[in-house]
């Protein structure tokens, strides 16, 4: 509904326009009428009209002054000036002050309708443009987290070498010119502590942590918070105060998560970056800090400056082998894990030149990776926490690099055992779930793919697992179940063989009879006849 305000000290002029609009344009509503510029401004502020018909010559505040004030009071309002022939110069001045059009008095109906139609079209176009701009702003706002994540990934990976473009993207996201600080926030033992939760609950928990971090960052610094991995967030902040300010921000982030969510976090503080080109180095330092911190405990802030020992050889650290080793532990692939470990440690030995102290530092970092991978593979967190406490004393006592290697290998073996125990229990649970599903649905045309879908495994893996746990494959198990049920029905009912075949999941009676004969050496009819004869013979 388009709202119109009529302003003229001659009431008949207002009534004539009102009559024309009510008769010809019922979708346009006259919401008020004023005989002076002062009253017009008062009504306009209250009624917020879309179109105002304004007489130029009125007592007190005239039309020109009222138009100027009206455009400031009600932005976007359309003003149509009403003027006599000898006031044309006034009309031109009114257009310069923001009036949209003018009409000569007395205004003819077709001219009034022409002007109103034009105003309505312009108002509709303006509303559409505003709605489109609002939609674009909303879409852009929704995209901002993805844009931020893209920038962060480009920065930490070093993929983008165009520093000016990176600065432009950072500025678009609200980041200042630096210095910058990378803080890596890792949710403590998330995989193990949420194992019993549904996936939607885990995602809601991560969102709560993210929101706590975002609120704290917005209250204390310029920066970005983006998810990075399954249970890790990266904070890229502008921290002019250097190391002390970065540690203070990290502590606030840690406290915010602990106080507003059920989780705790370990925050690794990277090195200070003079510009965006140094972010990969700060990120690598924050990673090392998180690894050390998570091994020694939880709910803490660890500064990379505390771990700068051995940085000279860090360039040579075989991260690709470490990632392969972690993946092998996560999947419980013991042989692969041990082979990768041997290659990895050979590389580490070369980098540390046989120095026991440097070897211990690398061993501790590697043990952190192994225990984290084991937790992600389903190992019990209680088992691994005991392992951590017991093993630290042994590592400290290891006198040589060779002894350190044996310590790490022992940690690897314990992690693999913990994952295998967890996966064995999981396999038993999955097969039990699969058997329950088959027992409930064997009368239907159930397939291996149906069961695999139910237990969230691939058909190939389920088939292999079923054979391993049950000693028979899926088809044999299903056939045996159906035939045992068929024997009961043949002995206890008078249903036809065709009806029984259908009841136990076989669409064709002939195929059912062939399968039955193959397993029991007789047809279904022969089996029924023998059972009936045996039941009829006198006992004793």
């Amino acid at each position: 509904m388009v709202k119109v305000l009529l302003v003229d000290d001659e009431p008949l002029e207002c009534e004539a326009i009102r009559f024309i609009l009510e008769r010809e344009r019922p979708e346009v509503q006259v919401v008020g009428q004023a005989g002076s510029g002062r009253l017009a401004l008062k009504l306009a502020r209250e009624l917020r009209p879309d179109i105002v018909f304004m007489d130029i010559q009125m007592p007190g505040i005239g039309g020109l002054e009222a138009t100027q004030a009206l455009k400031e009071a009600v932005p976007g309002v359309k003003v149509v000036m009403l003027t006599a022939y000898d006031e044309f110069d006034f009309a031109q001045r009114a257009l310069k002050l923001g009036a949209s059009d003018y009409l000569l008095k007395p205004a003819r109906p077709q001219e009034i309708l022409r002007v109103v139609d034009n105003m309505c079209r312009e108002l509709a176009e303006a509303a559409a443009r505003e709605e489109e701009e609002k939609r674009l702003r909303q879409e852009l706002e929704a995209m901002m987290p993805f844009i931020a994540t893209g920038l962060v990934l480009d920065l930490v990976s070093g993929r983008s070498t165009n520093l000016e473009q990176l600065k432009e993207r950072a500025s678009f996201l609200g980041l200042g010119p630096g210095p910058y600080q990378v803080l890596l926030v890792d949710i403590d033992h998330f995989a193990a502590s949420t194992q019993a939760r549904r996936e939607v609950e885990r995602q809601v928990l991560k969102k709560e942590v993210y929101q706590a971090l975002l609120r704290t960052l917005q209250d204390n610094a310029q920066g970005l918070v983006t998810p990075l991995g399954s249970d890790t967030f990266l904070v890229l902040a502008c921290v002019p105060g250097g190391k002390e300010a970065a540690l203070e921000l990290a502590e606030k982030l840690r406290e915010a998560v602990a106080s507003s969510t059920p989780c705790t976090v370990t925050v690794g503080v990277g090195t200070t970056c003079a510009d965006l080109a140094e972010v990969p180095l700060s990120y690598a330092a924050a990673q090392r800090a998180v690894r050390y911190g998570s091994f020694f405990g939880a709910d803490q802030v660890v500064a990379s400056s505390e771990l700068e020992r051995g940085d000279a050889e860090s360039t040579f650290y075989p991260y690709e082998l470490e990632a392969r080793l972690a993946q092998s532990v996560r999947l419980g692939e013991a042989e692969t894990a041990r082979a990768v470990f041997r290659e990895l440690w050979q590389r580490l030995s070369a980098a540390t030149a046989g120095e026991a102290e440097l070897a211990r530092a690398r061993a501790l970092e590697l043990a952190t990776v192994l225990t984290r991978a084991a937790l992600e593979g389903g190992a019990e967190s209680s088992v691994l926490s005991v392992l951590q406490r017991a093993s630290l004393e042994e590592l400290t006592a290891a006198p040589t690099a060779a002894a350190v290697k044996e310590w790490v290998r022992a940690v690897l073996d314990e992690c693999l055992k913990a994952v295998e125990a967890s996966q064995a229990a999981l396999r038993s649970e999955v097969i039990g779930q699969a058997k329950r599903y088959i027992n409930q649905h064997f009368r239907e045309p159930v397939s291996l793919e149906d069961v695999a879908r139910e237990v969230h495994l691939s058909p190939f893996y389920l088939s292999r697992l079923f054979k391993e746990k049950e000693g028979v494959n899926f088809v044999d198990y299903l056939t045996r179940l159906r035939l045992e049920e068929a024997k009961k029905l043949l002995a206890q009912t008078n249903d036809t063989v065709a009806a029984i075949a259908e009841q136990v999941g076989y669409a064709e009676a002939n195929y059912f009879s062939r399968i039955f004969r193959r397993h029991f050496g007789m047809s279904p009819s022969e089996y029924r006849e023998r059972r009936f004869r045996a039941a009829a013979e006198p006992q004793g």
Side-chain angles (χ1 to χ4, degrees), residues 479 482-488 490 497 500 504 506 509-528:
T479 301
R482 286 173 167 174
L483 293 182
E484 288 300 322
E485 180 68 12
K487 284 167 64 177
K488 291 179 185 177
L490 287 166
V497 170
I500 290 174
V504 298
Y506 291 103
N510 289 338
Y511 178 71
F512 163 67
S513 296
R514 287 199 303 273
I515 296 294
F516 195 96
R517 181 182 291 277
R518 184 185 308 159
H519 279 76
F520 301 118
M522 65 187 78
S523 70
S525 298
E526 290 170 340
Y527 176 82
R528 169 178 275 172

Side-chain angles (χ1 to χ4, degrees), residues 324-333 337 370 373-374 412 415-416 419:
R324 284 171 54 196
L325 177 60
Q327 180 70 354
S328 299
V329 171
R330 204 174 290 119
L331 297 175
E333 298 173 345
L370 294 173
L412 172 62
C415 287
L416 288 170
V419 172

Side-chain angles (χ1 to χ4, degrees), residues 32 84 109 170 215 245 253 303 343 350 359 373 415 425 428 461 468:
R215 285 194 303 270
L253 294 171
E343 184 180 355
C415 287
S428 294
Y461 183 67
E468 175 187 319

Side-chain angles (χ1 to χ4, degrees), residues 78-95:
K78 302 286 185 182
V79 180
V80 182
M81 303 306 301
L82 300 173
T83 176
Y85 279 105
D86 58 354
E87 296 167 340
F88 184 69
D89 289 342
F90 286 101
Q92 287 183 315
R93 287 171 57 193
L95 292 175

Side-chain angles (χ1 to χ4, degrees), residues 256-272:
V257 174
S259 63
S260 62
T261 79
C263 300
T264 62
V265 294
T266 296
V267 184
V269 181
T271 52
T272 302

